């Protein structure tokens, strides 16, 4: 898809967003072996276009829910990089005050509902938000807020996915389901988990508009989201997008894992070739690109520094937040 | 009951639940009630009757049979500022909700560093009698007592049913609200206006110096009957209803047990790792051996609940078995007391008739 | 569907089976108000053709799993009527020795796996049997045994249904899924529970042959089952049948409930007109039919008598069977 | 360990699990192993390594992410005569299986009057350290101890890991088999041949007359370290590992506690309605006030597990906190003991390094 209608500003923003995510995660990967981050990290490297494309078509006060593989969506939605880095380091200034860790990023300001490490649990949570929006936003200027939920191919196997899809369709909820199908659940390929690949067809049987994006095209993802959001703002029901993608690193941890034997590097190649980061970069002039790159590096350095300098939570924090008071 | 106002009148447990919900829904637009069959003519044995007519299908609705997702939906809606009441006609069905309740509801406030709250009420009913059998009779609240982040309440009478429900709705935490089928028709004086029976205060239902009996949910009624039966022996039983199991008011129990020197916990559930284990353990720890308190637990028989009437009767503690246990504890060297069969029969009467 | 290929013997058997179930449940309904049965009963009256049609095409050593609404399937599969009646009465001679009740009928002899009162729980159980059969019956003369599972429309909303369907298709398990769609879960109609009616289409997306039977035709149900079983015997995978049907009595308990307001009697009318009991009866000559009817009445009288006369379990039975030893 | 044969050699906990499963699979065709990722190169942190090659994909296979249905499938297969081992990499995920485990597995033998059996093993691992956090660190076995019909075992060393796994596989009941991530690399002498460590027998791991410490799962190691630390004080700690939590060998614990007059239960889980509550309650009930036993529990802090290193460390009992508690109980009027930091450091070392 070519972004005919896109202003340069838009491309700049998209490039900044995706490049920033990529670089943040590369930096996490670089730091990880030094043990400053003692929390399991699930990198999105290679998959960022989905988060960036979807979220670019959302409004600030729309919300998103994510799995443990949430860095990309959290950043794309506007979650603070400093608070994220500090959370990775287990610091008191982290977005969860050191009580979440890498798998549980949240930003209520930016509309990141929170990420959950139990596969699929966040899917109905997003529908619950959508239900609340439907009730709360009847008179809202600009229409109903929308909840988008990102989940992996594996998550669709959990019963809660089917249950939520049915409920969302039945109650015409403003929820956008985004399946990031990277072909694996940990190391187990689809062939060992899915009877067929007809996920989109299945979702359609619930009366939900459902689309398949096979090539990771960020503009297509963005356009589909825009279509979905426009409909939901006016009271339309749920929408489903399945995006094929590829995880370049190991399931959890910083490294590549093609030596492990469960998949070959050749699988990654087409995805490297169609990588949206350089694609977007090439749409900008070199000066702009370099300026953005520099800004990103500076921000990352600052965020790492912030995380390093921040204090750990005090021990008395252990017993705060057990109950809301 | 402690805070009786002038407006109090006799009301059944089921009507108290209904009235509490209706009044809160009136007061607070963010409260809504949903769950399987909350809006049909049976209305969860009457406890949601009239709510649909009054508040409409957006705030009172049945759902697909999808307890897992519906719990997640409730949590999401609660995080988004609503105050859902999710209703289950049997507590056994909460086993389908465990992932969301234990891994999400109990944790998000804490694991997100206080950034979100889950003001959610999960109502469910313990079934009993008329051959409910294995899967419609469980009282699984101790599982929720095990997990930090949840609150648990089990009102034993109409007054508490209303006051605790209102407190639960207003609480910013997920509250597991435990009802009992056989309590539904029982009446108490209940104020007309809104009032709360808040977390963390036990209720001394009857005073006595010989033994402290802690009774949970429906067992409060059974223990009060047992106390009656024992009156002819001169044994004075103190009956305490913890009302809220989390947070638990152990102080009231401890003080009583220190005074009487005997603690019997009569639970409406299995004893192993149950509420009764927790209460006995806390008393044993905190009172210490110097207090010389004798402790005992009774609860469901340690097996699956059978439907056959004779076996079913033997599965539960009842006024006679409770009274006999109390008598043994208070007068260990006396001969077992003979309770007049007609009085026992009257004490043990339950009016419930099936199918459900 | 007309039963061209059917011998009179077959029709006699079908009539006997369906009529016997109808009469047993009518008798239960008659007895119920006397409180001899103190256990919640879920009658199949009006729905029997599904159990009878499916089970007639199974072999004796195939197995079935059911919900709490299991009287029909239990009897059709050959479960003992006496043991069933005694179980209803809570007697020691009951099929569960008084520990199951009406909702938990079982007959290991007849291949009735056991009925469960938590909706949907028996669906994966049947798949587990099918998995075991697949492993155990590799060399079996006559092919692999088959597991059939009966469940309501409501059960398909539970996540475990979708999970099981996917797994059964993926592992090519010999399991026949039979949805008895009576339009209600307790009193809640489909419209409040299903986003769409496309259940059969949905199941097909898993690569499972799936059929819809709208008219309750026992011969069609039987023929579809025969087709499914023939395929599964030879190693074929799962098969799905959705049968529309109608529950004539209240959800639980012995009475009609058209006065309750959630459904009108006119809904029942077409089902009464197409009732398979008289239809089968009319295919027999009057003499045969009357003989069968008499046999059935005698058997029922005997079974009730048996249940009445049987002893209750002794109190010491309370603590047996906690653990298998 | 009690039944050491000549063939015993040092083996790690993880290898003991693997060997036990492999030998049983060899012996009994009906045993199969399945669950998420049992057949990948990580092989559940090594505990299923090699099984796929040896027994093929029909007896060793990964599954879709469908824990609820897979548990039902396991139960069905078990009822049909197979002996499934269903593996979960974290105990937290058992919350998705509760409906099948509590409402079906625990009940069918009983509710079908003995007509069927469920010889099922559910393996799961408790995670700890490296910021596992809220949802990958829970130890929820007390929920299973609450429900009649299940057995629960939590081996604390390689010998028991093998012996208990074999016993669990041969048991005709559903067994919840509780492992601990940090135990995986620890070695013990383990016989080469098949042997069972059967239900209902606790293990006295270390003798002592001053206090009885009951330690569960990974806490056995921690308590033995604490005992070491205390050796300089002259306090002699008896450490008992119940091994099987259901059925529980309360006799061994009772006898010891009667002798020492002090019982500390150190659980690897929350205390509220936990295994520690049950053990303390049983001892308090059965010993009676006459025995004068002082009781205490420690376990997880009563909150959600935080990933931040300092908080995470404070969440768990460790040799120092255990030793300090023991010292307080045995010498209540003495000043708190000062443990030399270097010895504490050595006692508290754990070698685990993430990501998982
Ligand atoms: C309910 C549950 N089961 C198992 C796991 C272990 N687990 C963590 S990630 C994962 C794979 C998820 O795959 P997918 O949904 O495709 O997401 P991806 O990691 O590929 O982004 C599994 C099985 C879990 N966290 N939660
Ligand atoms: C998991 C679960 N949720 C709720 C219930 C309460 N309940 C009993 S039967 C039933 C309706 C089931 O409907 P359906 O599957 O269509 O079967 P039918 O009764 O119509 O045969 C419900 C909701 C239950 N038994 N189990
Ligand atoms: Mg994936
Ligand atoms: Mg139905």
């Amino acid at each position: 898809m070519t972004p005919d209608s896109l202003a340069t500003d838009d491309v700049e923003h998209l490039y900044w967003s995706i490049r920033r995510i990529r670089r943040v995660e590369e930096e996490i990967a670089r730091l990880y072996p030094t043990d400053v981050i003692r929390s399991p990290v699930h990198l999105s490297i290679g998959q960022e276009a989905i988060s960036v494309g979807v979220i670019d078509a959302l409004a600030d006060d729309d919300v998103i829910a994510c799995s443990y593989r949430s860095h990309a969506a959290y950043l794309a939605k506007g979650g603070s990089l400093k608070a994220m880095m500090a959370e990775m380091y287990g610091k008191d200034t982290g977005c969860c005050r050191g009580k979440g860790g890498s798998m549980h990023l949240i930003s209520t300001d930016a509309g990141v509902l929170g990420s959950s490490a139990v596969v699929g649990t966040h899917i109905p949570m997003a529908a619950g938000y959508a239900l609340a929006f439907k009730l709360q936003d009847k008179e809202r200027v600009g229409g109903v807020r929308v909840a988008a939920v990102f989940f992996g191919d594996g998550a669709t196997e959990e019963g809660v996915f089917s249950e939520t899809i049915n409920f969302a369709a039945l109650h015409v909820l403003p929820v956008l389901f985004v399946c990031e199908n990277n072909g694996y659940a940990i190391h187990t390929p689809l062939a060992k988990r899915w009877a067929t690949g007809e996920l989109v067809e299945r979702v359609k049987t619930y009366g939900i508009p459902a689309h398949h994006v096979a090539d990771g095209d960020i503009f297509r993802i963005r356009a589909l989201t825009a279509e979905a959001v426009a409909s939901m703002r006016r009271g339309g029901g749920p929408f489903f997008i399945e995006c094929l993608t590829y995880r370049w690193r190991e399931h959890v941890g910083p490294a590549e894992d093609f030596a492990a034997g469960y998949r070959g590097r050749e699988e990654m190649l087409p995805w490297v070739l169609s990588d949206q980061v350089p694609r977007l970069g090439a749409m900008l002039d070199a000066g702009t690109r370099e300026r953005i790159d520099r800004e990103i590096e500076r921000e990352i350095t600052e965020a790492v520094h912030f995380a390093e300098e921040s204090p750990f939570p005090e021990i008395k924090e252990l017993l705060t937040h057990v109950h809301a008071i | 009951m402690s805070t009786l106002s002038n407006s109090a009148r006799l009301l059944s447990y089921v009507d108290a639940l209904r009235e509490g919900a209706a009044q809160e829904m009136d007061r607070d637009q963010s409260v809504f009630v949903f769950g399987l069959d909350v809006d049909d003519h049976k209305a969860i044995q009457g406890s949601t009757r009239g709510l649909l007519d009054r508040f409409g299908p957006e705030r009172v609705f049945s759902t697909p049979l999808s307890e897992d997702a519906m719990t997640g939906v409730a949590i999401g809606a609660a995080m988004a500022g609503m105050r859902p009441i999710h209703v289950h006609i049997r507590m056994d069905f909460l086993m389908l909700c465990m992932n969301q309740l234990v891994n999400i509801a109990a944790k998000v406030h804490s694991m997100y560093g206080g950034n979100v709250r889950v003001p959610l009420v999960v109502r469910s009913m313990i079934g009993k009698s008329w051959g409910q059998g294995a899967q419609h009779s469980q009282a699984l609240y101790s599982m929720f007592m095990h997990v930090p982040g949840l609150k648990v309440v089990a009102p034993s009478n109409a007054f508490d049913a209303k006051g605790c429900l209102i407190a639960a709705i207003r609480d910013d935490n997920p509250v597991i609200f435990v009802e009992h089928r056989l309590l539904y028709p029982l009446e108490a004086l209940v104020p007309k206006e809104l009032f709360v029976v808040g977390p963390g205060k036990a209720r001394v239902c009857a005073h006595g110096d010989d033994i402290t009996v802690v009774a949970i949910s429906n067992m409060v009624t059974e223990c009060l009957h047992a106390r009656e039966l024992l009156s002819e022996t001169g044994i004075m039983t103190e009956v305490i209803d913890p009302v809220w199991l989390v947070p638990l008011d152990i102080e009231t129990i401890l003080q009583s047990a220190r005074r009487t020197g005997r603690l019997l916990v009569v639970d409406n559930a299995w004893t192993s790792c149950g509420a009764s284990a927790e209460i006995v353990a806390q008393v044993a720890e905190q009172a210490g051996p110097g207090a010389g308190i004798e402790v005992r637990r009774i609860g469901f028989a340690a097996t699956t609940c059978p439907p056959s009437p004779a076996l079913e009767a033997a599965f539960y503690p009842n006024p006679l078995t409770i009274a006999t246990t109390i008598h043994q504890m208070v007068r260990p060297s006396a001969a077992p007391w003979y309770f007049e069969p007609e009085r026992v029969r009257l004490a043990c009467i339950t009016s419930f008739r099936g199918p459900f």
Side-chain angles (χ1 to χ4, degrees), chain A, chain B:
Chain A
M1 188 165 182
T2 48
D4 299 329
S5 59
L6 240 63
T8 323
D9 276 8
D10 289 335
V11 177
E12 268 191 50
H13 181 76
L14 286 173
Y15 175 70
W16 170 77
S17 182
I18 196 168
R19 162 96 189 170
R20 177 168 170 262
I21 294 167
R22 173 71 52 90
R23 287 293 304 125
V24 167
E25 291 208 310
E26 284 173 351
E27 187 65 11
I28 291 171
R30 195 184 63 76
L31 287 166
Y32 205 77
T34 68
D35 289 0
V36 287
I37 296 172
R38 278 165 287 175
S39 177
V41 294
H42 300 75
L43 304 182
S44 299
I45 294 179
Q47 307 191 186
E48 306 92 335
I50 303 168
S51 295
V52 176
V54 166
I55 290 168
D56 203 55
L58 299 180
D60 283 351
D61 43 15
D62 292 330
V63 299
I64 61 165
C66 321
S67 74
Y68 47 87
R69 198 179 303 287
S70 59
H71 306 168
Y74 169 92
L75 289 173
K77 190 69 176 62
S80 150
L81 175 58
K82 282 184 176 165
M84 167 177 156
M85 270 303 182
E87 189 60 34
M88 303 264 174
Y89 275 66
K91 297 299 180 75
D92 195 40
T93 53
C95 59
C96 303
R97 308 201 53 193
K99 296 184 168 188
S102 164
M103 303 194 285
H104 299 296
L105 303 182
I106 190 168
S107 169
T108 45
D109 290 346
V112 182
L113 299 191
S115 326
S116 174
V118 180
V119 173
T121 41
H122 61 299
I123 302 177
M125 188 192 287
Y129 262 84
L131 180 69
F133 291 165
K134 204 183 151 190
L135 295 168
Q136 293 164 346
D137 291 356
K138 292 227 172 85
E139 317 285 317
R140 190 166 174 275
V141 183
V144 187
R145 283 167 295 168
V146 162
V149 53
F150 297 89
F151 49 87
D153 42 302
T156 66
E157 297 149 28
E158 294 286 2
V160 74
F161 168 74
S162 303
E163 292 182 359
T164 306
I165 286 276
N166 179 49
F167 182 75
L170 181 69
H171 282 256
V172 196
L173 299 183
V175 55
L176 171 64
F177 296 96
V178 184
C179 178
E180 305 191 48
N181 182 348
N182 62 12
Y184 292 90
I186 309 190
H187 314 112
T188 306
L190 284 177
K192 286 191 180 181
R193 300 183 286 113
W194 285 17
T196 72
E198 300 175 36
L199 177 61
V200 161
E201 292 71 21
R202 188 171 309 139
V203 171
K204 282 181 182 164
T205 67
Y206 292 93
I208 297 178
H211 297 271
H212 186 84
V213 179
D215 59 2
D217 179 352
I218 192 167
F219 297 109
R220 174 100 198 287
I221 293 166
R222 189 172 181 271
L224 283 172
T225 306
E227 181 190 333
V229 168
S231 153
M232 291 190 277
R233 290 266 186 267
R234 295 187 308 268
F239 203 92
F240 183 92
I241 312 178
E242 179 191 19
C243 302
L244 296 196
T245 187
Y246 201 74
R247 163 169 62 70
W248 294 10
R249 301 289 173 99
E250 56 191 335
H251 168 73
V252 57
E256 291 196 341
D257 68 348
F258 296 101
Y262 73 95
R263 58 178 191 169
R265 188 181 291 276
E266 71 287 352
E267 278 186 14
M268 181 168 80
L269 251 184
W271 294 98
V272 175
L273 294 176
S274 68
D275 185 10
Q276 304 289 300
V277 184
R279 178 190 179 200
L280 287 164
M283 292 170 69
L284 301 174
D285 62 80
T288 310
R289 197 171 56 236
E290 279 156 24
R291 175 180 51 76
I292 294 176
D293 289 358
R294 270 196 312 276
E295 276 167 18
I296 289 172
E297 297 309 315
R298 199 185 48 237
E299 193 197 357
I300 292 174
T301 309
E302 278 173 22
V304 171
H305 185 74
F306 176 80
E308 277 167 358
E309 296 299 300
S310 291
F312 283 107
E314 290 178 49
I315 293 296
K316 70 174 167 48
E317 286 298 317
L318 180 65
L319 291 177
T320 56
H321 303 133
V322 178
H323 286 131
I325 34 175
Chain B
M1 314 267 157
S2 36
T3 59
L4 269 191
S5 80
N6 290 334
S7 75
R9 74 287 186 223
L10 276 181
L11 202 69
S12 67
Y13 189 96
V14 56
D15 287 337
L17 288 173
R18 196 169 46 74
E19 182 174 278
Q23 290 179 341
E24 275 298 283
M25 292 180 78
D26 242 351
R27 197 186 64 81
D28 182 348
Q29 286 291 319
S30 63
V31 180
F32 69 97
V33 173
F34 81 127
L36 285 168
D37 309 313
V38 297
D39 60 359
D40 72 10
H41 61 283
K42 296 247 167 131
I44 311 294
Q45 259 106 34
S47 65
T48 58
R49 181 154 296 139
L51 298 182
L52 173 65
D53 285 349
R54 187 134 155 229
F55 301 102
E58 284 203 332
R59 293 179 68 196
V60 182
F61 56 94
S62 188
T63 73
L65 281 76
S66 304
E67 286 89 345
D68 182 4
M70 292 308 100
T71 307
V73 164
I75 293 169
M79 288 169 63
M82 305 298 291
R83 295 190 171 269
I85 306 177
H86 190 196
V87 186
H88 302 266
I89 202 156
R90 282 294 175 277
M91 192 157 203
D92 314 65
F93 306 155
L94 292 189
M95 293 301 95
L96 287 95
C97 311
M98 289 304 272
N99 187 31
Q100 287 288 338
L101 292 175
V102 172
N103 286 329
I104 308 293
K107 301 203 166 22
V108 290
H109 180 68
S110 173
M111 92 182 173
Y112 295 138
N115 275 300
V116 297
R117 294 162 180 249
V118 184
L120 164 66
V121 180
V122 180
R123 277 186 52 198
S124 71
M125 202 192 299
I126 302 165
K128 177 172 174 180
S129 102
W130 205 264
Q132 306 270 314
Q135 300 170 330
H136 282 63
S137 59
Q138 292 171 94
L140 300 161
Y141 37 85
S142 74
M143 293 186 179
F144 303 103
M145 295 173 67
H146 186 55
V147 183
L150 301 172
K151 294 187 180 179
V152 183
V153 61
S156 71
N157 60 72
F159 179 89
D160 287 343
K162 179 171 176 182
C164 292
L165 182 62
I166 295 172
I169 293 170
R170 296 182 187 177
D171 202 293
D172 270 350
N173 298 281
V175 178
I176 308 296
F177 191 94
V178 183
E179 304 162 17
H180 195 288
R181 181 66 185 98
L182 295 195
L183 294 174
Y184 266 42
L186 303 193
E187 296 185 333
L189 282 172
V190 180
K192 274 205 177 109
E193 63 271 17
L194 287 158
F195 66 98
V196 299
V197 176
K201 191 76 201 83
R203 184 184 300 295
V204 180
C205 303
H207 293 276
D209 288 329
D210 293 321
I211 184 167
T212 302
V213 173
V214 174
I216 296 172
S217 180
N218 183 46
M219 285 300 147
V220 175
T221 320
E222 305 290 66
C223 288
L224 290 172
H225 286 312
R227 183 175 188 276
E228 269 288 304
L229 274 181
L230 283 162
S231 60
E232 65 184 34
T233 69
I235 293 177
M236 293 305 291
T237 304
E238 181 136 311
V239 178
I240 299 180
D241 175 355
V243 191
W244 288 81
L245 295 167
V246 177
L248 179 69
D249 173 12
I250 197 70
E251 264 319 307
T252 300
I253 296 170
L254 252 176
Q255 271 173 30
S256 171
R258 279 207 170 96
R259 183 165 45 77
T260 65
R262 298 182 187 92
L263 172 68
L264 171 67
V265 184
V266 183
D267 199 0
N268 191 53
W270 289 301
T271 57
S272 177
C273 296
S276 64
E278 181 59 25
I279 291 168
V280 162
Q282 284 198 32
V283 168
E285 273 180 300
Q286 296 183 35
I293 301 169
E294 186 184 349
V295 295
R296 192 85 75 84
R297 297 177 287 167
I298 52 181
F300 290 177
T303 186
T304 300
C305 179
S308 180
L311 298 181
E312 191 176 50
F315 179 78
Y316 295 101
N318 62 43
L320 180 59
T321 57
I322 296 165
T324 307
T325 307
I326 293 172
H327 189 264
Q328 260 168 25
M329 286 179 74
V330 178
R331 307 216 177 122
S333 36
W337 191 257
Y338 170 81
F339 294 101
E340 216 222 302
E342 182 55 18
R343 293 198 52 218
V344 172
R345 206 185 58 76
L346 286 174
C348 295
I349 259 174
T350 58
S351 57
F352 189 74
R353 190 158 168 284
F356 265 104

